[in-house]
Amino acid sequence: MTMVDLPGRRPWWPSTLRARISLILLAGLAIAYGLSFSVLYVERYMSAKAVMLGTLENDVATSIAVLDRLPADERANFVDWLSRGNYNFELGNGLPGVPDTSAHGAEIAAKIEDAVGHRFPIRMEAIPGPVSRLQAHLNLSDGSPLTIDVTPKGVMPMAAWLPYVFVVQMLLIVLCIWFAVRQATRPLAELAAAADALDPNKKRPALSDRGPTEVAHAAKAFNAMRDRIAHYLEERVQILAAISHDLQTPITRMRLRADIADDSPEKTKLLQDLGEIERLVQDGIAYARSAHGNGEKSARIDLASFIESISYDYQDTGKSVEILGLIHGTATTKPHALRRILTNFIDNALKFAGAAEIAVERRDTGQIAITVLDRGPGIPQDQIEAAMQPFFRLEQSRNRNTGGTGLGLAIAQQLAQTLGGSVRLYNREGGGLAAEVVIS
């Protein structure tokens, strides 16, 4: 599926509401988790640092006091016992290092000086290497050198199970976001689907009004709108049918009066006008009936015999209607409605081209396409869709001999819908028009 870049739209910004809400929620939660992790990290670092410095100050003071009071030959037995996880004591000058100027080293040196009560001068050095190490050098009361090897520890070690908890939390968050966004956007998708399938002429179940107040209100408004549209269309068709029906009575009286009048050119013209009015009224009634379905029951027909009978009826009256291709088999449809559709197509082809051809094919989907073709002038491409509208005529002279009433294709389209099919017009290569009806 190709995504169309709309003017002013960011290419990285998703197009669907569901994706946008999900992205916003995930971004917000990720930032919140990042801030929480940062605060936790800083708090753990400060706690570990405070614990280390506090322990260093208390334990070193005691350890140095013990070593200072022990005889020199016994101190080696207590060095390991007095050492801890982040520092240990070494008898001697230790490793060569460089002067330490870091703030952390200054803090450790200050704690050690506080621990020994400033009785022993301390020199702090950093030991080069992959691991950060500091050594504090001092001399005991008898002049013996003592080195305190300190390995500063940062944040307290993280539990091995903590990453798994984090993954589970993120999965739960994603699941909750998906569920929340789905609940928020599903009514919109249902509303869009109902709008796409809107057909006032067909009885469809009402859109569900369950859910939040806003969703229920929108669903009720849509159902009410669909009912109003159906009512307006039904009222329009009823008015058209009533007018067409009521016109038949005065037309019949006028025809009777014209028939008993003396023969004259005016009488002939009057009868022709009455005939045109009567055909217009009949087309109006046919359109009104097709809009509500003609009540015809579906029946099984033999396709080849059905198409041949229509062609032979025209040929018997001297019309040029040929069959290009037939398929054998049966189809379940409304025969009278289908015949009316095809006769409307053929009448238009004969009117504008003087000849018509019928082609029948069965498609891979199982649908049957019946096409009436001609070599007439065709229809301008920008007017093909409008040609299916009622009372639309390409020929604007209002002359029935060339333009007709403009209801033939509209009636065919209405009848095709009652068959569960569709109607399509398209221009042929090399000139002419093709009118196609597809039935299941």
Side-chain angles (χ1 to χ4, degrees):
M1 180 176 180
T2 304
M3 181 177 292
V4 179
D5 290 334
L6 299 178
R9 177 186 168 195
R10 301 177 181 90
W12 53 269
W13 189 241
S15 60
T16 62
L17 180 62
R18 177 178 299 182
R20 291 183 179 184
I21 295 177
S22 300
L23 181 61
I24 292 172
L25 291 177
L26 283 175
L29 289 172
I31 294 173
Y33 260 81
L35 292 175
S36 299
F37 181 79
S38 300
V39 171
L40 179 62
Y41 181 87
V42 171
E43 191 274 334
R44 287 172 67 91
Y45 174 79
M46 295 176 65
S47 298
K49 180 180 176 181
V51 169
M52 183 193 73
L53 293 177
T55 302
L56 185 66
E57 181 178 3
N58 297 328
D59 291 354
V60 166
T62 302
S63 299
I64 291 178
V66 170
L67 292 173
D68 190 50
R69 287 175 173 77
L70 285 172
D73 56 350
E74 296 182 8
R75 291 170 182 167
N77 298 328
F78 288 88
V79 168
D80 293 336
W81 181 70
L82 294 173
S83 298
R84 295 292 183 266
N86 61 332
Y87 68 90
N88 56 73
F89 295 95
E90 296 179 6
L91 299 175
N93 294 321
L95 299 174
V98 296
D100 181 66
T101 58
S102 64
H104 192 45
E107 278 187 300
I108 294 176
K111 289 295 182 182
I112 295 176
E113 288 178 356
D114 292 339
V116 300
H118 303 281
R119 292 185 297 120
F120 307 104
I122 296 176
R123 183 178 80 258
M124 186 67 66
E125 291 182 343
I127 306 302
V131 179
S132 176
R133 291 174 60 188
L134 299 173
Q135 286 190 348
H137 303 280
L138 56 90
N139 293 320
L140 297 176
S141 299
D142 60 358
S144 300
L146 178 67
T147 299
I148 307 173
D149 192 309
V150 182
T151 304
K153 291 186 178 180
V155 182
M156 288 183 286
M158 184 181 295
W161 48 265
L162 193 58
Y164 298 101
V165 174
F166 177 76
V167 172
V168 172
Q169 286 179 330
M170 292 303 299
L171 290 177
L172 288 175
I173 289 174
V174 171
L175 181 62
C176 291
I177 289 176
W178 173 83
F179 181 76
V181 172
R182 182 173 179 269
Q183 291 295 316
T185 58
R186 184 173 61 179
L188 294 178
E190 293 176 352
L191 180 62
D196 289 337
L198 179 62
D199 187 353
N201 294 322
K202 295 182 180 180
K203 294 296 182 180
R204 296 183 181 271
L207 185 63
S208 175
D209 57 359
R210 294 180 300 176
T213 304
E214 296 82 1
V215 174
H217 180 71
K220 290 178 180 178
F222 178 83
N223 292 331
M225 178 193 70
R226 182 173 63 179
D227 293 339
R228 286 196 301 270
I229 293 175
H231 175 71
Y232 293 152
L233 290 178
E234 183 178 1
E235 187 178 62
R236 184 195 69 174
V237 172
Q238 289 177 348
I239 292 174
L240 177 60
I243 293 175
S244 301
H245 182 272
D246 292 344
L247 283 175
Q248 287 183 315
T249 300
I251 291 174
T252 302
R253 290 199 301 265
M254 294 172 65
R255 180 178 290 278
L256 290 175
R257 291 170 183 171
D259 287 338
I260 63 176
D262 295 334
D263 294 336
S264 65
E266 287 73 16
K267 175 182 177 179
T268 303
K269 293 178 181 179
L270 178 60
L271 290 175
Q272 290 176 350
D273 291 339
L274 289 174
E276 292 180 4
I277 296 175
E278 189 171 15
R279 286 192 295 272
L280 179 60
V281 170
Q282 291 174 351
D283 286 345
I285 295 175
Y287 177 72
R289 288 176 178 173
S290 66
H292 283 280
N294 55 7
E296 182 185 359
K297 301 296 183 181
S298 297
R300 185 175 294 276
I301 62 172
D302 181 87
L303 283 172
S305 301
F306 182 79
I307 299 299
E308 287 174 347
S309 66
I310 295 176
S311 175
Y312 293 157
D313 288 343
Y314 280 97
Q315 291 174 4
D316 290 343
T317 59
K319 304 294 179 59
S320 177
V321 178
E322 301 294 335
I323 300 176
L324 294 182
L326 285 175
I327 60 173
H328 296 283
T330 61
T332 301
T333 186
K334 297 179 179 180
H336 295 293
L338 182 58
R339 179 179 290 270
R340 180 62 187 269
I341 294 172
L342 295 177
T343 54
N344 283 358
F345 289 166
I346 295 173
D347 289 341
N348 282 339
L350 294 175
K351 181 186 300 181
F352 293 103
E357 298 171 330
I358 306 175
V360 186
E361 64 173 345
R362 189 185 299 273
R363 295 179 174 172
D364 295 337
T365 58
Q367 294 179 317
I368 299 171
I370 307 174
T371 309
V372 176
L373 307 103
D374 64 57
R375 286 299 180 183
I379 299 177
Q381 192 64 34
D382 59 345
Q383 297 186 24
I384 286 182
E385 185 176 352
M388 304 300 297
Q389 301 300 319
F391 301 107
F392 177 85
R393 297 195 299 184
L394 293 171
E395 203 279 330
Q396 300 296 326
S397 66
R398 315 303 294 180
N399 186 341
R400 283 191 52 85
N401 293 327
T402 57
T405 62
L407 287 174
L409 293 176
I411 293 172
Q413 186 177 44
Q414 294 277 18
L415 291 174
Q417 291 177 355
T418 66
L419 298 178
S422 61
V423 168
R424 181 170 71 103
L425 299 179
Y426 60 92
N427 291 309
R428 300 177 64 186
E429 293 184 4
L433 184 71
E436 175 188 86
V437 58
V438 177
I439 60 175
S440 301

